[in-house]
Amino acid sequence: MTIEHSYQFQTQPIICPGRVVRDLTLRVIEWKPRITGRKIYFGGESGVVLGYLAANVTAPGFEFSAYAYSPFFNEIAKASRVGRFTDDQLL
């Protein structure tokens, strides 16, 4: 695969039930060849992917992966028995 475009978004506070996440980094990579299944990957501050969700975005011809990193995701993974998390823990 080849990266066609890469976008790094400016950090913005994310308001969650019971807390505000202020240190989330978001990067979206648009791929040149077609990929199967767009995903959003969640990782800790070290950059290790801890889990992912299907992106569920309808955008024909826009082939991408999104990467969100924050110590918040380390907390979720640590609370999980297997060190990874599911979409139920994010919602």
Side-chain angles (χ1 to χ4, degrees), residues 34-85:
R34 185 169 173 83
I35 60 171
T36 57
R38 301 174 192 138
K39 292 186 173 86
I40 302 170
Y41 295 93
F42 301 96
E45 56 193 324
S46 67
V48 174
V49 172
L50 303 167
Y52 65 89
L53 294 171
N56 295 323
V57 174
T58 303
F62 184 55
E63 305 301 331
F64 71 91
S65 299
Y67 298 84
Y69 296 100
S70 172
F72 172 67
F73 299 127
N74 285 97
E75 293 174 31
I76 294 172
K78 193 184 258 187
S80 173
R81 291 185 186 148
V82 294
R84 294 196 176 270
F85 54 85

Side-chain angles (χ1 to χ4, degrees), residues 13-48:
I14 308 298
I15 300 170
C16 303
R19 79 182 298 169
V20 176
V21 176
R22 299 184 187 281
D23 52 6
L24 184 125
T25 301
L26 179 64
R27 182 176 184 204
V28 175
I29 296 175
E30 187 176 355
W31 302 103
K32 180 125 175 117
R34 185 169 173 83
I35 60 171
T36 57
R38 301 174 192 138
K39 292 186 173 86
I40 302 170
Y41 295 93
F42 301 96
E45 56 193 324
S46 67
V48 174

